[in-house]
Amino acid sequence: MELEVTDETFEKEVVEKSKEIPVLADFWADWCGPCKVLGPVLEKISKDYEGKIIIAKALTDDNQQQAQKYSVMSIPSVKLFKDGKIVDEFVGAKSENDIKEFLDKNL
């Protein structure tokens, strides 16, 4: 499952929801080249991991409050939330295999 989140919905859709199912938060921007590479990979992974994880996409230009709160210094920045906290993260575009390894070691 993949969903768009905003500063207003982030707490409920990412932090709170991660107490039920892990949530992978993708902080991205329209103008970011690596973000455009990572987006389709995350979309495919969201289908492969259906029922095991939610992917939440936060457009940083429109939602700077959450990006600041979670110390997003560069994008794409991807943070895995479990039990209401960040348990792991990575920055930059990664291959499908790298992301699956990242998820598998954390799920």
Side-chain angles (χ1 to χ4, degrees):
M1 179 180 172
E2 198 176 69
L3 61 109
E4 297 284 331
V5 293
T6 64
D7 281 342
E8 291 75 29
T9 62
F10 194 93
E11 189 72 26
K12 179 177 181 252
E13 296 293 339
V14 176
V15 180
E16 289 303 314
K17 187 79 78 176
S18 77
K19 294 174 182 174
E20 301 163 26
I21 183 171
V23 179
L24 195 66
D26 173 25
F27 292 89
W28 69 286
D30 288 325
W31 49 263
C32 165
C35 297
K36 291 179 181 171
V37 172
L38 183 62
V41 176
L42 290 178
E43 197 171 309
K44 181 180 183 315
I45 285 172
S46 77
K47 291 180 179 91
D48 294 345
Y49 283 74
E50 188 75 41
K52 296 181 193 163
I53 191 167
I54 293 172
I55 295 179
K57 301 186 67 62
L59 185 60
T60 54
D61 289 344
D62 297 340
N63 300 289
Q64 295 178 4
Q65 184 181 343
Q66 295 305 320
Q68 286 177 339
K69 181 176 181 178
Y70 292 104
S71 304
V72 173
M73 297 297 175
S74 61
I75 53 175
S77 184
V78 180
K79 300 177 186 291
L80 181 63
F81 286 77
K82 271 172 75 177
D83 301 318
K85 315 184 271 304
I86 296 171
V87 293
D88 207 349
E89 58 191 291
F90 66 85
V91 175
K94 299 249 185 246
S95 72
E96 182 179 340
N97 282 343
D98 286 346
I99 297 169
K100 285 182 173 181
E101 281 179 26
F102 170 87
L103 289 173
D104 291 343
K105 80 174 184 184
N106 285 294
L107 296 181

